[in-house]
Amino acid sequence: MQIKQTIRQNLHQLEDILVQLNDEEYSAPLRILNGQSIGKHVRHIVEFYGCLIHAKTNVCYDARERDEKIENSTTYCIQYIHQLLQAIELLNLNQSIYLKQLVNDELIEIGTTIGREMIYCIDHSIHHFAIIKIAIQHHLPTIIFDKNFGIAYSTIQYNHHT
């Protein structure tokens, strides 16, 4: 299915960046990121995927566990991405689940599917890719990116037609 192929492409783009960074570059607090690191943004992205993969009947991205090894070690993060990719292949995208999310101090619960939430994870990652790209271009200009890294798919399509 197209969603799984897109996720593979998405996470491989991220991996292509990670192999170019050493752990110091990856975990260093950056002023352009308000003192956050590239690794913290990457952890945030991959943990959303992980949270969804481990969901049984509901998913709550707010309640995910934070694994600091993901944000401090590129090797560990790449291994985690490979585990995600294997697990994603086994998912039933049509499976119904409930999304739980805190909105204005109220816990909202709404029906959704694994596939719909995977699309959300894709869009969410692209948003963070754009932030990561800005930080890397500012601090580590020798890093090479896929030309579409951090650009929404709708923008890519629009640019092809203009």
Side-chain angles (χ1 to χ4, degrees), residues 11 14-15 18 46 77-85:
L11 291 175
L14 182 58
E15 185 178 351
L18 295 177
V46 299
C77 185
I78 290 167
Q79 291 170 349
Y80 187 82
I81 288 170
H82 290 178
Q83 292 170 3
L84 289 175
L85 289 168

Side-chain angles (χ1 to χ4, degrees), residues 48-61 65 87 90-100 109-115 117-118:
F48 269 49
Y49 282 111
C51 190
L52 181 56
I53 286 168
H54 295 100
K56 302 276 188 261
T57 58
N58 63 67
V59 62
C60 181
Y61 302 109
E65 291 191 27
L90 303 175
L91 290 177
N92 172 2
L93 299 181
N94 295 315
Q95 177 185 337
S96 294
I97 60 169
Y98 285 92
L99 170 66
K100 293 183 177 183
E109 187 172 322
I110 189 166
T112 186
T113 66
I114 297 287
E117 293 307 308
M118 280 290 161

Side-chain angles (χ1 to χ4, degrees), residues 10-11 14 18 26 39-53 64 67 70-71 77-78 80-81 84 121 124-125 129:
N10 178 278
L11 291 175
L14 182 58
L18 295 177
Y26 180 65
K40 284 185 184 289
H41 280 271
V42 171
R43 177 187 53 78
H44 182 76
I45 293 165
V46 299
E47 284 182 346
F48 269 49
Y49 282 111
C51 190
L52 181 56
I53 286 168
R64 72 190 183 282
D67 184 348
I70 294 171
E71 70 185 60
C77 185
I78 290 167
Y80 187 82
I81 288 170
L84 289 175
C121 287
H124 176 257
S125 67
F129 284 2

Side-chain angles (χ1 to χ4, degrees), residues 14 38 41-42 45 128-137 149:
L14 182 58
I38 294 162
H41 280 271
V42 171
I45 293 165
H128 281 276
F129 284 2
I131 295 168
I132 291 166
K133 187 176 186 177
I134 291 166
I136 290 176
Q137 287 176 328
F149 186 81

